[in-house]
Short mmCIF file of all heavy atoms in Angstrom, two decimals:
data_model
loop_
_atom_site.label_atom_id
_atom_site.label_comp_id
_atom_site.label_asym_id
_atom_site.label_seq_id
_atom_site.Cartn_x
_atom_site.Cartn_y
_atom_site.Cartn_z
N VAL C 947 -1.52 -15.44 17.73
CA VAL C 947 -0.11 -15.14 18.00
C VAL C 947 0.67 -14.97 16.69
O VAL C 947 0.51 -15.77 15.76
CB VAL C 947 0.54 -16.28 18.84
CG1 VAL C 947 2.00 -15.98 19.13
CG2 VAL C 947 -0.23 -16.50 20.13
N CYS C 948 1.51 -13.95 16.62
CA CYS C 948 2.28 -13.69 15.39
C CYS C 948 3.36 -14.76 15.19
O CYS C 948 4.14 -15.05 16.11
CB CYS C 948 2.92 -12.31 15.49
SG CYS C 948 3.92 -11.89 14.05
N ASP C 949 3.42 -15.31 13.97
CA ASP C 949 4.44 -16.34 13.64
C ASP C 949 5.85 -15.76 13.72
O ASP C 949 6.81 -16.47 14.02
CB ASP C 949 4.27 -16.82 12.19
CG ASP C 949 2.94 -17.50 11.94
OD1 ASP C 949 2.22 -17.75 12.91
OD2 ASP C 949 2.62 -17.75 10.76
N ILE C 950 5.97 -14.48 13.40
CA ILE C 950 7.30 -13.87 13.28
C ILE C 950 7.88 -13.46 14.63
O ILE C 950 9.01 -13.81 14.95
CB ILE C 950 7.24 -12.61 12.36
CG1 ILE C 950 6.54 -12.92 11.03
CG2 ILE C 950 8.63 -11.99 12.13
CD1 ILE C 950 7.26 -13.91 10.13
N CYS C 951 7.07 -12.71 15.43
CA CYS C 951 7.66 -12.15 16.65
C CYS C 951 6.98 -12.65 17.93
O CYS C 951 7.39 -12.26 19.03
CB CYS C 951 7.61 -10.62 16.59
SG CYS C 951 5.95 -9.97 16.79
N GLY C 952 5.90 -13.44 17.79
CA GLY C 952 5.22 -13.95 18.99
C GLY C 952 4.28 -12.94 19.62
O GLY C 952 3.69 -13.20 20.67
N GLY C 953 4.13 -11.77 18.97
CA GLY C 953 3.24 -10.71 19.51
C GLY C 953 1.77 -11.15 19.45
O GLY C 953 1.41 -12.07 18.71
N LYS C 954 0.94 -10.44 20.23
CA LYS C 954 -0.49 -10.76 20.28
C LYS C 954 -1.18 -10.08 19.09
O LYS C 954 -0.99 -8.87 18.86
CB LYS C 954 -1.05 -10.23 21.61
CG LYS C 954 -2.42 -10.75 21.95
CD LYS C 954 -2.72 -10.41 23.45
CE LYS C 954 -4.12 -10.82 23.79
NZ LYS C 954 -5.10 -9.79 23.70
N LEU C 955 -1.97 -10.85 18.33
CA LEU C 955 -2.64 -10.28 17.16
C LEU C 955 -3.87 -9.47 17.59
O LEU C 955 -4.50 -9.77 18.60
CB LEU C 955 -3.06 -11.39 16.19
CG LEU C 955 -1.93 -12.28 15.68
CD1 LEU C 955 -2.47 -13.26 14.64
CD2 LEU C 955 -0.80 -11.45 15.07
N PHE C 956 -4.18 -8.44 16.80
CA PHE C 956 -5.35 -7.61 17.12
C PHE C 956 -6.06 -7.16 15.84
O PHE C 956 -5.55 -7.34 14.73
CB PHE C 956 -4.93 -6.40 17.98
CG PHE C 956 -3.92 -5.49 17.32
CD1 PHE C 956 -4.33 -4.39 16.58
CD2 PHE C 956 -2.56 -5.77 17.42
CE1 PHE C 956 -3.39 -3.57 15.99
CE2 PHE C 956 -1.61 -4.94 16.82
CZ PHE C 956 -2.03 -3.83 16.10
N ILE C 957 -7.27 -6.61 16.04
CA ILE C 957 -8.06 -6.09 14.91
C ILE C 957 -7.73 -4.61 14.75
O ILE C 957 -7.72 -3.87 15.75
CB ILE C 957 -9.57 -6.27 15.19
CG1 ILE C 957 -9.90 -7.76 15.37
CG2 ILE C 957 -10.42 -5.65 14.08
CD1 ILE C 957 -11.34 -8.05 15.77
N ARG C 958 -7.46 -4.19 13.51
CA ARG C 958 -7.11 -2.78 13.28
C ARG C 958 -8.29 -1.89 13.64
O ARG C 958 -9.44 -2.22 13.38
CB ARG C 958 -6.71 -2.59 11.81
CG ARG C 958 -5.26 -2.19 11.67
CD ARG C 958 -4.79 -2.24 10.26
NE ARG C 958 -5.43 -1.28 9.37
CZ ARG C 958 -5.06 -1.08 8.12
NH1 ARG C 958 -4.06 -1.78 7.62
NH2 ARG C 958 -5.69 -0.21 7.35
N ASN C 959 -7.97 -0.74 14.19
CA ASN C 959 -8.96 0.24 14.63
C ASN C 959 -9.93 0.66 13.52
O ASN C 959 -11.09 0.98 13.77
CB ASN C 959 -8.14 1.46 15.08
CG ASN C 959 -8.84 2.21 16.17
OD1 ASN C 959 -9.88 1.77 16.63
ND2 ASN C 959 -8.28 3.34 16.57
N ASP C 960 -9.43 0.65 12.27
CA ASP C 960 -10.27 1.13 11.15
C ASP C 960 -10.94 -0.04 10.41
O ASP C 960 -11.50 0.15 9.34
CB ASP C 960 -9.48 2.01 10.17
CG ASP C 960 -8.21 1.36 9.64
OD1 ASP C 960 -7.83 0.27 10.14
OD2 ASP C 960 -7.58 1.94 8.74
N ASP C 961 -10.91 -1.24 10.98
CA ASP C 961 -11.58 -2.39 10.35
C ASP C 961 -12.98 -2.64 10.92
O ASP C 961 -13.39 -3.77 11.15
CB ASP C 961 -10.72 -3.67 10.46
CG ASP C 961 -9.64 -3.73 9.38
OD1 ASP C 961 -9.68 -2.88 8.47
OD2 ASP C 961 -8.78 -4.62 9.45
N LYS C 962 -13.72 -1.57 11.14
CA LYS C 962 -15.12 -1.68 11.58
C LYS C 962 -15.98 -1.46 10.34
O LYS C 962 -15.61 -0.62 9.49
CB LYS C 962 -15.44 -0.61 12.62
CG LYS C 962 -14.63 -0.73 13.89
CD LYS C 962 -15.03 0.34 14.88
CE LYS C 962 -14.14 0.28 16.10
NZ LYS C 962 -13.36 1.48 16.30
N PRO C 963 -17.13 -2.17 10.22
CA PRO C 963 -17.90 -2.10 8.97
C PRO C 963 -18.17 -0.68 8.45
O PRO C 963 -17.96 -0.39 7.28
CB PRO C 963 -19.21 -2.82 9.33
CG PRO C 963 -18.83 -3.74 10.44
CD PRO C 963 -17.73 -3.09 11.21
N GLN C 964 -18.59 0.25 9.34
CA GLN C 964 -18.92 1.59 8.83
C GLN C 964 -17.66 2.36 8.40
O GLN C 964 -17.69 3.16 7.46
CB GLN C 964 -19.80 2.40 9.81
CG GLN C 964 -19.17 2.80 11.13
CD GLN C 964 -19.19 1.68 12.17
OE1 GLN C 964 -19.15 0.47 11.86
NE2 GLN C 964 -19.21 2.06 13.43
N VAL C 965 -16.52 2.07 9.06
CA VAL C 965 -15.26 2.74 8.69
C VAL C 965 -14.75 2.15 7.37
O VAL C 965 -14.27 2.87 6.49
CB VAL C 965 -14.20 2.60 9.82
CG1 VAL C 965 -12.92 3.34 9.44
CG2 VAL C 965 -14.74 3.14 11.13
N ILE C 966 -14.90 0.84 7.19
CA ILE C 966 -14.49 0.19 5.93
C ILE C 966 -15.27 0.81 4.77
O ILE C 966 -14.70 1.15 3.73
CB ILE C 966 -14.72 -1.34 5.98
CG1 ILE C 966 -13.79 -1.99 7.02
CG2 ILE C 966 -14.49 -1.98 4.61
CD1 ILE C 966 -14.11 -3.44 7.34
N ALA C 967 -16.59 0.99 4.97
CA ALA C 967 -17.42 1.56 3.91
C ALA C 967 -16.93 2.96 3.54
O ALA C 967 -16.85 3.31 2.35
CB ALA C 967 -18.88 1.61 4.37
N HIS C 968 -16.53 3.73 4.53
CA HIS C 968 -16.05 5.08 4.25
C HIS C 968 -14.69 5.04 3.53
O HIS C 968 -14.46 5.80 2.59
CB HIS C 968 -15.96 5.89 5.54
CG HIS C 968 -15.67 7.33 5.27
ND1 HIS C 968 -16.60 8.18 4.69
CD2 HIS C 968 -14.55 8.07 5.41
CE1 HIS C 968 -16.07 9.36 4.52
NE2 HIS C 968 -14.82 9.33 4.94
N ARG C 969 -13.82 4.12 3.95
CA ARG C 969 -12.49 4.02 3.30
C ARG C 969 -12.65 3.65 1.82
O ARG C 969 -11.91 4.13 0.96
CB ARG C 969 -11.64 2.95 4.02
CG ARG C 969 -11.06 3.48 5.33
CD ARG C 969 -10.69 2.35 6.26
NE ARG C 969 -9.65 1.50 5.73
CZ ARG C 969 -9.45 0.24 6.14
NH1 ARG C 969 -10.22 -0.30 7.06
NH2 ARG C 969 -8.48 -0.46 5.61
N LEU C 970 -13.63 2.77 1.55
CA LEU C 970 -13.88 2.39 0.14
C LEU C 970 -14.31 3.61 -0.68
O LEU C 970 -13.83 3.83 -1.79
CB LEU C 970 -14.96 1.32 0.07
CG LEU C 970 -14.50 -0.12 0.26
CD1 LEU C 970 -15.67 -1.06 0.49
CD2 LEU C 970 -13.68 -0.58 -0.96
N LYS C 971 -15.20 4.40 -0.08
CA LYS C 971 -15.70 5.60 -0.76
C LYS C 971 -14.53 6.56 -1.06
O LYS C 971 -14.39 7.08 -2.16
CB LYS C 971 -16.70 6.30 0.17
CG LYS C 971 -17.89 6.88 -0.52
CD LYS C 971 -18.99 7.02 0.51
CE LYS C 971 -19.75 8.29 0.37
NZ LYS C 971 -20.63 8.50 1.52
N VAL C 972 -13.67 6.73 -0.06
CA VAL C 972 -12.52 7.63 -0.22
C VAL C 972 -11.61 7.12 -1.33
O VAL C 972 -11.14 7.89 -2.18
CB VAL C 972 -11.73 7.76 1.12
CG1 VAL C 972 -10.41 8.47 0.92
CG2 VAL C 972 -12.57 8.48 2.17
#
Side-chain angles (χ1 to χ4, degrees):
V947 180
C948 179
D949 297 351
I950 309 295
C951 72
K954 193 167 176 264
L955 302 185
F956 60 93
I957 299 175
R958 245 169 66 173
N959 211 4
D960 54 352
D961 278 352
K962 297 181 185 117
Q964 67 279 29
V965 182
I966 293 169
H968 189 70
R969 283 159 63 202
L970 275 167
K971 219 158 139 190
V972 169

